Amino acid sequence: MTGRIYPDEPAGPFPGPPREMDDAEGRRITFEVVEDADTEPIVEMYVAFDPADRAQGIPPSQEDRIRSWLDTLLEEGLNVLAWDDEDVVGHAVLMPDDDGWELAIFVNQPYQGAGIGTELIQTLLGYGAEEGVDRVWLTVERWNRPAIALYKSVGFEPSDAESFEMEMSLLLAGVE
């Protein structure tokens, strides 16, 4: 145990996958659990990922490292993808640790700011609740105000703000 602090009140419930939405640009986005899927569309999203949007060293920038990193995420975590037709445009994952589940989310640059990140996190949290997850945490660079606002909007609360990264946590309610 790390002594991580979680809020007293649970957030949620959240809807689980599969689900769809029309984003702010009118694109039909589908959210699905990753199940023995062809990883090529996911790799393609990360290869095209803008280096300026990489944080804390992730996602990796070289294709071989992306593949290795994805192998770990897909094997050990709970993963949800956002699709625009045949293209993966977002990926969110919950990774288990000794004191809860760590959340990471990535939305391809042309799709940011259209509401996909919010729906992707909500869908992942709904999936997590279905799988018995109850404590979720993340770290975010404290100057990343859009990400912090997004996390707060779904119920994350700051739990450790003593470094250049802010840790946020959420106690997850049951399934919707």
Side-chain angles (χ1 to χ4, degrees):
M1 294 282 280
T2 64
R4 189 165 284 118
I5 298 169
Y6 289 91
D8 293 330
E9 295 298 317
F14 298 99
R19 55 193 292 247
E20 295 181 336
M21 71 167 291
D22 290 326
D23 75 359
E25 302 294 323
R27 300 171 290 213
R28 190 71 176 164
I29 305 298
T30 304
F31 302 95
E32 298 177 348
V33 171
V34 177
E35 295 178 355
D36 300 323
D38 174 16
T39 60
E40 289 311 304
I42 311 170
V43 171
E44 288 173 16
M45 181 190 90
Y46 285 118
V47 166
F49 214 78
D50 186 343
D53 280 350
R54 297 178 196 277
Q56 304 164 335
I58 56 174
S61 57
Q62 297 174 328
E63 187 172 336
D64 61 331
R65 290 185 178 165
I66 291 169
R67 289 179 186 282
S68 176
W69 175 71
L70 273 176
D71 286 346
T72 300
L73 296 182
L74 297 176
E75 183 176 315
E76 298 176 17
L78 300 176
N79 295 266
V80 172
L81 298 176
W83 294 85
D84 179 8
D85 197 26
E86 300 296 317
D87 297 322
V88 172
V89 299
H91 174 214
V93 59
L94 290 170
M95 290 295 289
D97 77 358
D98 292 338
D99 189 34
W101 293 72
E102 183 178 10
L103 183 143
I105 179 173
F106 306 91
V107 177
N108 208 353
Q109 290 74 13
Y111 291 83
Q112 293 177 3
I116 295 168
T118 302
E119 296 292 326
L120 183 54
I121 288 176
Q122 290 177 351
T123 304
L124 178 66
L125 292 173
Y127 176 45
E130 290 171 4
E131 296 295 316
V133 172
D134 61 351
R135 293 173 296 155
V136 180
W137 64 276
L138 58 87
T139 57
V140 59
E141 294 168 333
R142 52 177 62 261
W143 54 83
N144 191 343
R145 295 189 196 287
I148 292 169
L150 167 62
Y151 300 138
K152 284 182 176 180
S153 77
V154 296
F156 281 91
E157 296 179 14
S159 59
D160 181 8
E162 295 187 17
S163 68
F164 73 96
E165 294 176 345
M166 177 185 296
E167 186 171 289
M168 301 180 81
S169 61
L170 172 141
L171 187 63
L172 192 55
V175 178
E176 183 175 279

